[in-house]
Structure formats: C-alpha cells, structure tokens
Amino acid sequence: SAKRAPEVQVAHTVDEVAWETIYNIRSYAYSGDEEFLRKGRQKLAEVKEHLKEADDLAKRFSDLVALRQGALQARDKVGEYEALVDQTEAAHKNIDTQRSTLNAVAKTYMQQCRALLTSEQQQLNAEVDEKVDPAKLKERLTKIGMIAELIEVGLTIQLNNFKAQAAGDIEVQRNTLKDFAALEKAIANLIPVIRQEKNVELLSRIREDADSYKTAMEQILNSQVAIEEHNRKRGFVADGVVA
C-alpha cells in the first residue's frame, strides 16, 4: 500500500489536470481568449510536473512497470500536444496581426477612393462652368461612376469579411475572396482613363491597398484552416495523453 496509494493518486492527478488542460486549450483555440491560453499552459506545466512525480515513484519501486510505461508514453504525447498548442498560438497571433492590417488598409483605401472621387468631381464642375464638349462631360461622369463602384465593391468586401470573421465561417470568407474579381476588374477599367498624375498615383495606391487587404484575408483564412487542423490533431493527441 505504501506504493499503490501514491501510484493511484498521481495517476488520478495527471488525468484530472490533463482534462483541465484540454478544456482550456480547446476554449482558447475556438475563442482566441488569452486567458484560456494562460490557464491551459499553466495546467500543461502541472501535467508535466505530475508525470515527473509518477516517473520518480516508478524509479523508487521497480515493480511499478505499468506506471513507468504509462508516464513515459504520456510524456511523449504531452510533448506532441505542447507543440500543437504552440502552433495554434502562432496561428492566432497571425490572425491578430492580419486583422490590424485589414483595419489600417481599409481606412486608407476609402480615403484614397474618396480623394480620387473628389478630384474627378471638381474637374467635372470646372468643365461644366467652362461649357466643355458634352462628350468629355459624359466621359467624366462615366469615370465618377466607375470610382463610385470601387467604393461600393470595397465596402461590400469589408462588410462581408466582417460578418465572416465574427461568425468564424471559413466558407463565407472563401466566397468573400471571390468578390475581389469584381474589384480588380473595376481598377483595371479605370487605369487607362485616369490621366492626371496625382490621380494616377492615387489609383496605384488604391490597387496596392486592395492587394494588401486580399492578402491579409487569405492569411487569416489560412490560419483559421490551420487552427482547425491543429484542433483535430490535438484531439487525437489528447486522447493519447489521457489513455
């Protein structure tokens, strides 16, 4: 009994703390809440401490073969589990970084679209006052409509992306990325008709921001897909730890 009672106790403790670890890390994976990660890592450290206790006990009593084998196998699985936790954290960090990029780029994209729209509207007003050829006025109005489309499509992408991020819906994000085809076409249509140097520069920056926004969305999508895969793998490894 001098060895059996501690053997049962340490095995029970490892099992209990392992489940607490699994709960907190799973909660972090789905929510991104750093408090769950902190608690999960704390509990993971406790699991490793208790496994060392099991190993020390097995070394003191050589006939506790099952305990020692179980502790060794659990320690290997804990190592796999911890690596997956690290990968999950890295994916969440990337999502946070890319979301910051989205916010910054969305702001400058709209500022530049509105600056381009204002410039074309001012030129239209001047041409009306000067009684310019109606054909030129029509061309100017067409350009203004094309710039308005840039704003409309950009806002639609941002809104759909916001909804997809809030819902954590990967398929909606994939569908939102398809909206960039319309945005890229709208930008391409404007390139040959925007002539003023300052407006050419504005359109170039608009295109860069659109590309940056799309890249950030793709990065977030890739990270979320990776987190789902980490979740699946952690489930198998966690089963191994508990077993």
Side-chain angles (χ1 to χ4, degrees):
S1 63
K3 57 188 176 184
R4 293 300 174 193
E7 178 187 31
V8 171
Q9 181 59 48
V10 73
H12 174 73
T13 302
V14 168
D15 183 64
E16 183 179 26
V17 179
W19 279 113
E20 291 182 68
T21 304
I22 292 165
Y23 166 76
N24 281 288
I25 295 300
R26 183 183 294 144
S27 298
Y28 168 67
Y30 285 109
S31 69
D33 189 330
E34 295 277 341
E35 183 60 18
F36 283 123
L37 177 64
R38 186 191 67 77
K39 289 179 181 177
R41 287 201 181 277
Q42 177 187 328
K43 292 299 176 182
L44 188 59
E46 290 177 20
V47 169
K48 291 194 280 189
E49 289 174 7
H50 293 306
L51 284 174
K52 186 178 183 306
E53 290 174 14
D55 191 51
D56 290 343
L57 182 64
K59 286 176 181 176
R60 284 171 53 204
F61 299 100
S62 59
D63 60 329
L64 295 180
V65 177
L67 179 67
R68 185 165 193 181
Q69 289 178 342
L72 287 172
Q73 290 168 2
R75 187 174 63 189
D76 288 343
K77 289 294 181 183
V78 165
E80 291 180 43
Y81 188 88
E82 189 166 24
L84 287 166
V85 172
D86 291 342
Q87 292 168 28
T88 301
E89 182 181 9
H92 269 297
K93 295 291 185 188
N94 184 54
I95 288 173
D96 290 342
T97 299
Q98 297 305 328
R99 281 178 176 163
S100 295
T101 298
L102 287 177
N103 292 336
V105 169
K107 182 178 180 180
T108 57
Y109 174 90
M110 285 302 164
Q111 287 174 339
Q112 286 156 181
C113 281
R114 290 188 179 109
L116 183 58
L117 182 62
T118 299
S119 175
E120 292 293 336
Q121 286 172 332
Q122 287 173 345
Q123 290 179 70
L124 174 64
N125 292 338
E127 288 167 347
V128 168
D129 291 341
E130 294 169 10
K131 298 181 179 178
V132 170
D133 180 356
K136 288 187 177 181
L137 293 178
K138 184 177 180 181
E139 179 185 320
R140 185 75 62 190
L141 283 169
T142 299
K143 281 194 281 186
I144 288 172
M146 293 164 73
I147 296 166
E149 184 182 2
L150 281 187
I151 295 173
E152 182 180 352
V153 176
L155 286 172
T156 298
I157 289 173
Q158 290 174 45
L159 178 60
N160 289 341
N161 182 46
F162 178 79
K163 289 177 179 177
Q165 297 285 326
D169 192 322
I170 287 174
E171 283 309 309
V172 174
Q173 289 179 62
R174 285 197 177 105
N175 289 331
T176 300
L177 280 166
K178 295 176 184 177
D179 292 339
F180 277 93
L183 185 59
E184 289 158 4
K185 183 179 178 181
I187 292 172
N189 289 340
L190 269 169
I191 289 173
V193 297
I194 296 294
R195 299 183 182 87
Q196 272 200 332
E197 186 176 345
K198 67 173 184 177
N199 289 350
V200 169
E201 179 61 27
L202 275 173
L203 186 59
S204 176
R205 293 204 298 269
I206 287 168
R207 182 169 56 178
E208 288 172 4
D209 280 347
D211 289 342
S212 295
Y213 198 93
K214 183 180 181 182
T215 299
M217 279 183 62
E218 289 170 337
Q219 288 288 322
I220 289 172
L221 178 60
N222 291 340
S223 291
Q224 289 177 330
V225 169
I227 288 171
E228 285 198 352
E229 180 64 12
H230 299 334
N231 291 347
R232 186 186 66 79
K233 289 180 179 178
R234 271 200 332 275
F236 287 121
V237 175
D239 289 344
V241 173
V242 174

